[in-house]
């Protein structure tokens, strides 16, 4: 039996449900297909559960620091991992149930629970059922990469998904990967009480960030007792009784790390290998990402790809923006496109890193004349009051147009404060708009205008660093 629809959405991650609502609201008959858990990565194994656990780890950290704030705590601090997991499961589960109930109650929308595969460019099978539509939207997300490393098949390992089932405290967690996921779990489990070692292949952590940002993050983690080894040219594994041995060929550090558990955090891959894309004629690149144009259209007319599976972004907010772009083009006669958006994301270490636009290295590489402003968080009153003065903020400005090129805020509230900069960038406003604004005191954001008043030529490193240590709080 074949069921005909105006549109089929495959996947219920961040882009799928919103787009389904838009299409159904426009009077289209919509089918939405979910293979496993409603809500996708963000709800089930990504943002929501991991940040819920980050919050638990932060609470444990602050209890240990109670004396710094004049709070007396005479008892030992312990973490009940079963309760941490229970809280995480409740928050994540509520969100997952909310997405499913929303879709099942949506007018003009039919939910299919099963694995969707293309039979042709206009037909999708879900088990024994056949769905047809002239418009099909792929929102299948991605999953953790398990690289071919010597001995990996001989040891148990965790990924960002399977670690969500852990309800105990690993004695020594070895994390392979110095990216955002690895760093968040490293600090989190260290605060829970595990010994933690990060093994990174790149010369420094967070390889896509500027070296000063990477260095500051490493110092923060090492200050909490996380062991860091970088420049790992070859990583392999073996067993010694109950111990897992990670063999590391590094420029410095122990060439062999002994631990109880391993977390692989070395990248993601798209869930496109079991979709029947060949039957539909949809092109993918060498990494399996679906090839799309600036408005998320695939190589086949009538098929779009949104979210992590298209390689245009790896964040919940980029996936949601994909849905906004597709909806605007189809329903609003609004030619929005992917290239309109500005790079923006946060890394949820503590303190967090908020990023917008270009890095300092990218600005330098561009060869344009630029100005830079820096300020340590020790010169931010709100950070001093909270006793959280680690990190710094910096901003780059085009010397000719005065438009903001990029910024990084590594510090308390950095994931929120970055948005005042991001909004000005979208408005293509000169930096003086923020510089002359009256911000609320005491906040982290109020020091952004001050920082913008101390801009120095980007080429003058000494002057720019002097500017970071001066100015009123």
């Amino acid at each position: 039996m074949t069921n005909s629809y105006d549109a089929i959405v495959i996947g219920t991650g961040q882009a799928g449900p919103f787009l389904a609502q838009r299409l159904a609201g426009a009077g289209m008959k919509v089918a939405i297909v979910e293979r496993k858990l409603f809500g996708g990565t963000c709800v089930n194994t990504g943002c929501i559960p991991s940040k819920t656990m980050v919050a638990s780890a932060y609470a444990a950290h602050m209890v240990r620091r109670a004396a710094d704030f004049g709070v007396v705590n005479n008892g030992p601090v312990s973490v009940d991992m079963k309760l941490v997991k229970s809280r995480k499961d409740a928050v994540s589960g509520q969100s997952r149930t909310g997405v499913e109930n929303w879709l099942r109650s949506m007018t003009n929308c039919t939910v299919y629970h099963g694995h969707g595969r293309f039979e042709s460019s206009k037909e999708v099978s879900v088990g024994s059922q056949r769905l047809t539509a002239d418009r099909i939207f792929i929102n299948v997300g991605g999953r953790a990469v398990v690289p071919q490393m010597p001995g990996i098949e001989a040891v148990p390992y965790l990924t960002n998904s399977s670690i969500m089932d852990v309800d105990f405290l690993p004695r020594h967690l070895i994390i392979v990967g110095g990216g955002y996921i690895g760093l968040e779990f490293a600090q989190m489990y260290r605060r829970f009480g595990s010994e933690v070692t990060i093994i990174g292949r790149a010369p420094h952590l967070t390889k896509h960030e500027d070296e000063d940002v990477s260095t500051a993050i490493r110092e923060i983690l090492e200050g909490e007792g996380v062991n860091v080894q970088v420049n790992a040219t070859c990583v392999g594994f073996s067993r010694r009784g109950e111990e897992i041995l990670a063999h590391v060929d590094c420029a410095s550090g122990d060439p062999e790390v002994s631990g109880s558990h391993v977390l692989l955090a070395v990248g993601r891959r798209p869930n496109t290998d079991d979709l029947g894309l060949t039957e539909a004629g949809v092109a993918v690149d060498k990494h399996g990402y679906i090839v799309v144009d600036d408005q998320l259209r695939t190589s086949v007319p009538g098929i779009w790809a949104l979210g992590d599976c298209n390689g245009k972004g790896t964040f919940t907010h980029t996936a949601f923006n994909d849905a906004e772009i597709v909806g605007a083009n189809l329903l609003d006669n609004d030619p929005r496109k992917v290239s309109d958006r500005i790079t923006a994301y946060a890394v949820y270490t503590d303190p967090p890193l908020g990023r917008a636009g270009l890095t300092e290295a990218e600005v330098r590489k561009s060869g344009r004349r630029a100005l830079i402003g820096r300020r340590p968080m020790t010169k931010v009153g709100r950070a001093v009051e909270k006793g959280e003065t680690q990190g710094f903020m910096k901003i780059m400005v085009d010397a000719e147009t005065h438009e903001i090129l990029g910024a990084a805020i590594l510090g308390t509230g950095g994931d929120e404060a970055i948005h005042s900069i991001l909004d000005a960038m979208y408005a293509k406003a000169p930096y003086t708009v923020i510089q002359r604004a009256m911000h609320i005191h005491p906040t982290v954001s109020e020091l952004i205008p001050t920082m913008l008043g101390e801009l120095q030529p980007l080429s003058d490193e000494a002057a720019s660093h002097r500017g970071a240590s001066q100015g009123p709080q």
Side-chain angles (χ1 to χ4, degrees), residues 35-36 40-42 45-46 115 140-147 157 159-162 181 264-275 287-289 307-309 314:
R35 175 176 61 91
K36 190 175 181 182
T41 297
C42 176
T45 59
H115 194 127
V140 294
R143 64 187 185 275
V145 168
V146 179
Y157 58 82
T159 67
N160 73 292
S161 296
S162 58
I181 293 175
L264 300 181
V266 290
R268 308 272 297 167
R269 60 177 295 184
N271 291 327
T272 57
D273 46 344
D274 192 16
L275 278 180
H287 301 293
Y289 291 103
D308 292 4
C309 67
T314 57

Side-chain angles (χ1 to χ4, degrees), residues 121-163:
S121 62
K122 295 185 182 298
E123 185 178 24
V124 173
S125 64
V126 185
S128 61
Q129 302 188 77
R130 295 293 185 271
L131 318 179
T132 63
D134 289 333
R135 300 183 182 92
I136 301 178
F137 306 89
I138 307 170
N139 176 223
V140 294
R143 64 187 185 275
V145 168
V146 179
Q148 294 297 314
M149 294 183 288
I152 187 64
E153 72 284 346
V155 300
Y157 58 82
L158 298 163
T159 67
N160 73 292
S161 296
S162 58
I163 200 170

Side-chain angles (χ1 to χ4, degrees), residues 31 54 64-65 112 321 332 437:
V54 165
R64 293 188 184 100
R65 291 192 59 203
Y112 290 85
N321 185 246
D332 304 332

Side-chain angles (χ1 to χ4, degrees), residues 14-16 18-19 22 306 318-328:
Q14 194 67 18
F18 173 74
L19 182 60
R22 286 229 59 196
L306 304 85
T318 53
F320 188 82
N321 185 246
D322 282 357
E324 292 181 312
I325 290 170
V326 172

